[in-house]
Amino acid sequence: MSTHSAAVTLGADPLTIADVVNVARADARVEISVAGLVRVAASRQVVEELANDSRPHYGISTGFGALAKVQIPVAKRQQLQRSLIRSHAAGTGAEVEREVVRALMLLRLNTLASGRTGVRPIVVETYAAILNAGITPVVHEYGSLGCSGDLSPLAHCALTLMGEGKVRVSRDPHTAPIAAAEALAAAGIEPLVLAEKEGLALINGTDGMLGMLCLALHDLSSLLVTADIAAAASVEALTGTDAVFAADLQELRPHPGQGRAAANMLRVLEGSTLVQRPTEGEFTRVQDAYSLRCSPQVHGAARDTAEHAARVASIELRSAIDNPLVLSDGRVESNGNFHGAPVAYVLDFLAIAVADVASISERRTDRFLDVARNHGLPPFLAADAGLDSGLMIAQYTAAGIVSELKRLAVPASVDSIPSSAMQEDHVSMGWHAARKLRRGIDGLSRVLGIELLASTRALDFRAAAEGSGEPAAVTRAIHSLFRSEISAPDTDSFLSPTIESAYNFVASGSVRVTAEQVTGRQFA
């Protein structure tokens, strides 16, 4: 996305998930409110007074972590901050995506602008300038334990403020990184020499895991609707029944997500004559398999889990995460707010939900390929079964992804490896929970794409069968969307690009948008 969204102002109203997405993906400009800068200056004055105190104050005149008992002389405190950032920028492995780095930078800046961290206003203004200039520090996948915040990822970002390390200045991931000093000079930004407390304030936050949670929730809000659409399309193309989605049945078990999912499926199937409906004097199918009949229950539970995760995210977005924190009465107090457990738990909950939604989708896909269960469709949806394999291996691909998603659903937050000489003896692993959720969401998008590939292909065979009935307006439109890039089944062709096109229709939101255009209403 290259269009810049409206500016996001920090230090005033709480951030929203949409704000995070707009800065991370749409390069929305970030501004700092006047009130925020006033609070920042006031908290800095408190820190400077404590810096001259003869008593030790953590992060101001002492070392860090297990070295907090070491008193640092005034003359060496700038070196203390430099050493903190350099030593904590210890990431390794694959480079983290640009949108993730921008999200975590925004969230760290949000805490800095709260006036609770004790940094100078120039630190806040410089951080915002770097973000607005499109300078993205190189951050690596491994390094965070999710306690004392996402230390290593944030330290790589803090290096950039000091004019050190590597950054990217292009959205193109194939462009080579350049030196941070070069990028700052080109943007007219002066590198900072960090003062007391500032190094700690720049790295002591749960911003990486929270940023990835916000991006995931944004994506899931569309993907779960797409899952409803895909499930309904499968019910129709398998000539199932929509009677089980009736509102009065859902009200007997009134989970809000379940009701919304069932309503979405009914809306998709409106007007279809392919689905089985009770007709007096005629035998119709009594029950469909669980993967069809219970789709609202599974999708709904995933929705309700996402709603809980969104509530956690909204609290985190209005929180100040640092240690120590400067309180409004001038006290500077140590705390445990940097612990990532609240975020880590919901990241893991979402990974479980994502795996299950993908699992039930793959089961629906599998039904299309088996002549014992697909109600009159050819084996494997092949145009010439035997000569052709149809979508046989597409289902293998979906099954392989689902197997991986089940592995990724194993919670990261139940693990803990003590660090810092047992000072940090219980950590959240929230960063790792977030990384695997990102992979999970990508996998879910691919599995749903394969399901829709199967249902749209099945509609071609239904259309060729005399007297089979007519699909709903929504499923006809989605069929047309797929046929705009994917040919109707004739004979086997190179399947990988076809699967990629189906994935893109899902991941881009095109499936959802198409359905909403037909109905004239947004899906919940």
Side-chain angles (χ1 to χ4, degrees):
M1 188 184 301
S2 58
T3 305
H4 289 233
S5 298
V8 173
T9 302
L10 306 181
D13 297 327
L15 279 178
T16 65
I17 290 172
D19 291 332
V20 176
V21 173
N22 285 335
V23 172
R25 291 181 174 165
D27 288 357
R29 182 174 178 79
V30 175
E31 297 175 352
I32 312 298
S33 70
V34 173
L37 287 174
V38 168
R39 289 195 301 272
V40 169
S43 69
R44 181 61 199 176
Q45 186 175 351
V46 172
V47 169
E48 289 179 352
E49 290 171 357
L50 292 178
N52 297 318
D53 194 343
S54 59
R55 294 173 299 165
H57 297 279
Y58 178 68
I60 297 173
S61 55
T62 72
F64 309 103
L67 301 175
K69 296 178 182 178
V70 179
Q71 181 90 348
I72 307 298
V74 173
K76 294 187 176 182
R77 289 182 189 167
Q78 287 184 351
Q79 179 60 40
L80 173 69
Q81 303 303 314
R82 283 195 298 272
S83 294
L84 174 69
I85 300 305
R86 289 170 177 169
S87 65
H88 284 51
T92 189
E95 213 175 305
V96 172
E97 303 85 357
R98 180 180 188 269
E99 65 177 34
V100 171
V101 178
R102 287 184 60 82
L104 76 87
M105 290 179 72
L106 171 69
L107 295 169
R108 180 68 338 215
L109 185 56
N110 188 48
T111 285
L112 296 177
S114 71
R116 292 286 179 259
T117 69
V119 301
R120 293 167 294 163
I122 188 65
V123 174
V124 178
E125 292 166 334
T126 302
Y127 212 117
I130 290 170
L131 199 51
N132 288 334
I135 297 171
T136 306
V138 172
V139 173
H140 300 279
E141 188 157 27
Y142 300 115
S144 175
L145 298 182
C147 195
S148 289
D150 293 314
L151 290 174
S152 179
L154 285 163
H156 281 272
C157 296
L159 270 183
T160 302
L161 270 76
M162 297 161 51
E164 300 181 19
K166 295 287 188 179
V167 300
R168 292 190 175 274
V169 293
S170 169
R171 296 176 67 95
D172 183 356
H174 300 101
T175 304
I178 65 173
E182 179 185 343
L184 294 185
I189 300 170
E190 191 72 25
L192 293 178
V193 176
L194 301 179
E196 293 94 343
K197 175 67 172 65
E198 291 178 339
L200 200 57
L202 287 168
I203 65 174
N204 223 337
T206 53
D207 309 298
M209 64 182 87
L210 177 58
M212 286 185 273
L213 173 60
C214 291
L215 294 169
L217 287 168
H218 172 81
D219 293 341
L220 279 172
S221 67
S222 181
L223 272 180
L224 292 176
V225 168
T226 302
D228 296 339
I229 295 167
S234 292
V235 168
E236 179 184 63
L238 288 166
T239 63
T241 177
D242 62 355
V244 295
F245 310 133
D248 55 356
L249 288 174
Q250 308 309 314
E251 287 166 3
L252 295 175
R253 193 190 194 189
H255 291 290
Q258 176 180 323
R260 286 158 58 192
N264 285 344
M265 292 181 68
L266 280 177
R267 192 182 305 169
V268 170
L269 294 171
E270 190 174 337
S272 173
T273 58
L274 278 171
V275 295
Q276 300 285 307
R277 295 193 173 94
T279 304
E280 191 168 343
E282 292 183 16
F283 179 83
T284 53
R285 199 177 312 161
V286 178
Q287 289 188 146
D288 288 320
Y290 286 8
S291 59
L292 303 176
R293 191 184 352 150
C294 302
S295 292
Q297 285 72 19
V298 173
H299 297 181
R303 261 189 182 78
D304 293 341
T305 301
E307 289 289 340
H308 169 59
R311 286 192 293 273
V312 172
S314 70
I315 292 171
E316 291 288 312
L317 287 169
R318 61 179 187 267
S319 300
I321 309 295
D322 191 16
N323 180 51
L325 283 165
V326 182
L327 279 68
S328 57
D329 60 7
R331 288 180 295 133
V332 178
E333 298 287 356
S334 291
N335 67 91
N337 285 348
F338 51 74
H339 199 287
V343 183
Y345 290 172
V346 294
L347 287 163
D348 280 335
F349 296 165
L350 288 173
I352 292 169
V354 162
D356 202 37
V357 173
S359 179
I360 197 171
S361 170
E362 183 277 330
R363 289 293 79 203
R364 293 189 296 261
T365 297
D366 185 66
R367 298 191 73 80
F368 279 109
L369 310 185
D370 181 1
V371 293
R373 295 177 292 150
N374 67 16
H375 302 285
L377 296 168
F380 301 103
L381 299 181
D384 189 349
L387 178 65
D388 290 339
S389 295
L391 295 184
M392 178 191 294
I393 309 304
Q395 183 268 330
Y396 285 32
T397 300
I401 294 170
V402 168
S403 181
E404 173 72 357
L405 297 193
K406 291 174 182 177
R407 188 185 68 79
L408 294 172
V410 175
S413 58
V414 298
D415 187 29
S416 177
I417 298 180
S419 55
S420 193
M422 294 299 286
Q423 175 74 1
E424 298 169 8
D425 59 351
H426 183 81
V427 297
S428 78
M429 295 296 181
W431 173 271
H432 295 268
R435 295 305 296 167
K436 65 187 183 67
L437 177 58
R438 282 181 67 83
R439 290 191 64 186
I441 287 173
D442 178 75
L444 172 59
S445 302
R446 295 178 189 280
V447 171
L448 290 173
I450 291 170
E451 181 184 358
L452 284 161
L453 184 63
S455 66
T456 51
R457 180 175 283 210
L459 284 185
D460 289 308
F461 290 113
R462 296 291 184 207
E466 188 175 344
S468 63
E470 290 295 323
V474 170
T475 53
R476 280 200 308 272
I478 291 168
H479 179 272
S480 296
L481 172 69
F482 271 59
R483 290 292 163 265
S484 69
E485 289 188 17
I486 300 169
S487 299
D490 181 11
T491 189
D492 282 355
S493 58
F494 184 19
L495 196 53
S496 181
T498 297
I499 293 173
E500 198 66 19
S501 293
Y503 160 74
N504 287 332
F505 286 137
V506 170
S508 67
S510 296
V511 170
R512 176 180 182 170
V513 169
T514 298
E516 290 176 340
Q517 286 173 340
V518 171
T519 62
R521 293 178 290 171
Q522 285 197 324
F523 282 75

